[in-house]
Amino acid sequence: MSPPISQSDLESFSKHLRNSERILALCGAGLSAASGLPTFRGVGGLWRSHEAQRLATPQAFANDPGLVWQFYSYRRHMALQAQPNPGHFALAELARRKKDFLTLSQNVDGLHQRARHPSSQLHLLHGSLFDVRCTAFYCNYSEQNFTDPITPALAIPKEVTQPAPLGTAESGAEATNSLSSAMQSALAAKELDIADDRIEIPELDIKDLPQCPKCGNGLLRPGVVWFNELLPRQTIDAISKWIDSSKKIDLILVIGTSARVTPAADYVEEAKEKGARVAVINMDRADTPGGIYGLEKEDWFFEGDAAVILPEIFQGEIGDISDRIRQG
């Protein structure tokens, strides 16, 4: 539960937001946490017995593409089951109200887009789970793909009730009923949580993984930016052009991220150099750019869940968005 926002902070922030024209928002995993998505943040963030960061590398994919695809297929599935939360909708509405507003997101889950955030005002620093591209050297194939699972071998396993042995059935009707009950049970079966390493998962062959339909011999990979890879050049250039404009930046919102690694940390410093005041929205007071001592006296720290705080602190500009959230 988020602690109450002080009235003086809310009033001073609302006044500054009302007078702000150029606004930068930097979003991290904390924004999507309220939608039920695991963050896998930092060293020690485990998927099964594997450090999630160690699976998010070109080397891991080269060594065991089946395991890496199972990790990302799990994340794709979880993201498609999740819904954008009020924080996503509030941010999208503020972007529509403030035309010189830019959101930079480190999230790959597609929730900004599903909250109808204006695409021209959204840059995905780390790509998307739902982009896939070919790994063959001479092939440039890429596509958006929301199929879940992307291949049958990557389906999330389920608990399935086995039918009674047919040899015990006393009639054909009993055998049919047993099979029918098993089929209905399979449809309603609970998915197994393959993030738990007590749940067995198969070792997959290359042929079971997504293949390139263009070149025919390349393996498709998730279109996210892995560790040791460069961020998309087009994205970086567009952000730099916006920041390097001669115009002042009025405000930077740091939402659900510590923004302590590049390029996120650089964007905070660059915005501050262009005159921006900083508003941090985070669950942990110590988890801020430069630590809590990195904030100036005129900046704001709003402690708590971004899904709760953003609609509240933006309300003076966007109004009550409850109906829009219900409409999806």
Side-chain angles (χ1 to χ4, degrees):
M1 184 175 179
S2 301
I5 297 172
S6 78
Q7 191 63 29
S8 60
D9 280 351
L10 182 58
E11 289 176 359
S12 64
F13 175 81
S14 298
K15 180 179 179 181
H16 187 73
L17 179 62
R18 183 168 60 251
N19 295 325
S20 294
E21 296 181 1
R22 301 191 78 231
I23 303 171
L24 194 62
L26 180 64
C27 302
L31 176 59
S32 294
S35 294
L37 293 182
T39 62
F40 297 116
R41 290 183 56 193
V43 176
L46 296 181
W47 183 77
R48 300 181 66 80
S49 59
H50 307 277
E51 282 187 12
Q53 286 191 357
R54 293 185 180 274
L55 295 175
T57 68
Q59 293 78 14
F61 190 75
N63 292 336
D64 194 343
L67 177 64
V68 173
W69 255 119
Q70 284 172 310
F71 173 54
Y72 280 96
S73 181
Y74 169 84
R75 293 184 65 185
R76 284 164 58 96
H77 181 72
M78 294 290 287
L80 288 172
Q81 300 302 308
Q83 297 297 322
N85 64 57
H88 292 104
F89 285 105
L91 202 63
E93 185 61 27
L94 187 62
R96 282 187 281 273
R97 303 293 182 100
K98 300 280 189 178
K99 299 306 179 185
D100 207 355
F101 180 104
L102 196 64
T103 295
L104 315 181
S105 184
Q106 301 170 91
N107 297 337
V108 296
D109 49 42
L111 295 180
H112 288 290
Q113 300 93 306
R114 289 168 58 193
R116 301 189 306 278
H117 195 294
S119 59
S120 62
Q121 295 169 270
L122 175 66
H123 289 299
L124 303 177
L125 295 175
H126 297 164
S128 168
L129 290 170
F130 304 102
D131 292 339
V132 294
R133 58 185 175 86
C134 184
T135 57
F137 187 75
Y138 291 106
C139 185
N140 63 356
Y141 180 79
S142 64
E143 68 173 13
Q144 277 197 325
N145 187 307
F146 293 91
T147 304
D148 182 33
I150 191 169
T151 64
L154 290 169
I156 304 295
K158 294 182 176 182
E159 293 177 346
V160 179
T161 302
Q162 296 297 321
L166 296 184
T168 66
E170 296 183 359
S171 67
E174 282 189 19
T176 299
N177 289 338
S178 177
L179 287 171
S180 176
S181 296
M183 291 174 64
Q184 291 176 6
S185 175
L187 291 174
K190 179 182 177 183
E191 291 178 343
L192 298 174
D193 181 10
I194 64 170
D196 183 340
D197 63 2
R198 293 172 296 181
I199 304 296
E200 291 187 14
I201 57 174
E203 290 189 17
L204 299 181
D205 194 271
I206 292 290
K207 64 180 175 57
D208 298 320
L209 303 177
Q211 308 292 319
C212 179
K214 181 179 179 181
C215 71
N217 58 11
L219 186 63
L220 296 181
R221 57 157 280 182
V224 297
V225 179
W226 282 331
F227 291 97
N228 303 322
E229 292 185 326
L230 298 175
L231 271 62
R233 184 75 260 165
Q234 185 177 1
T235 298
I236 296 303
D237 288 346
I239 296 169
S240 295
K241 183 178 179 181
W242 189 91
I243 290 177
D244 293 340
S245 165
S246 59
K247 298 178 183 177
K248 174 187 175 184
I249 299 175
D250 299 299
L251 175 66
I252 180 166
L253 301 162
V254 183
I255 304 166
T257 176
S258 65
R260 293 185 187 177
V261 297
T262 59
D266 294 339
Y267 292 143
V268 175
E269 291 306 313
E270 290 172 19
K272 290 170 69 174
E273 289 172 5
K274 297 295 291 284
R277 293 174 68 177
V278 182
V280 175
I281 299 91
N282 209 321
M283 295 291 289
D284 184 352
R285 275 196 167 270
D287 200 13
T288 65
I292 192 65
Y293 300 109
L295 296 180
E296 304 293 340
K297 184 178 179 180
E298 65 271 16
D299 296 331
W300 300 271
F301 184 91
F302 297 107
E303 181 181 358
D305 185 347
V308 175
I309 291 173
L310 293 182
E312 182 176 356
I313 65 175
F314 292 171
Q315 186 168 7
E317 290 299 299
I318 67 176
D320 185 348
I321 61 169
S322 302
D323 289 342
R324 274 158 282 181
I325 292 171
R326 282 193 290 270
Q327 293 167 6

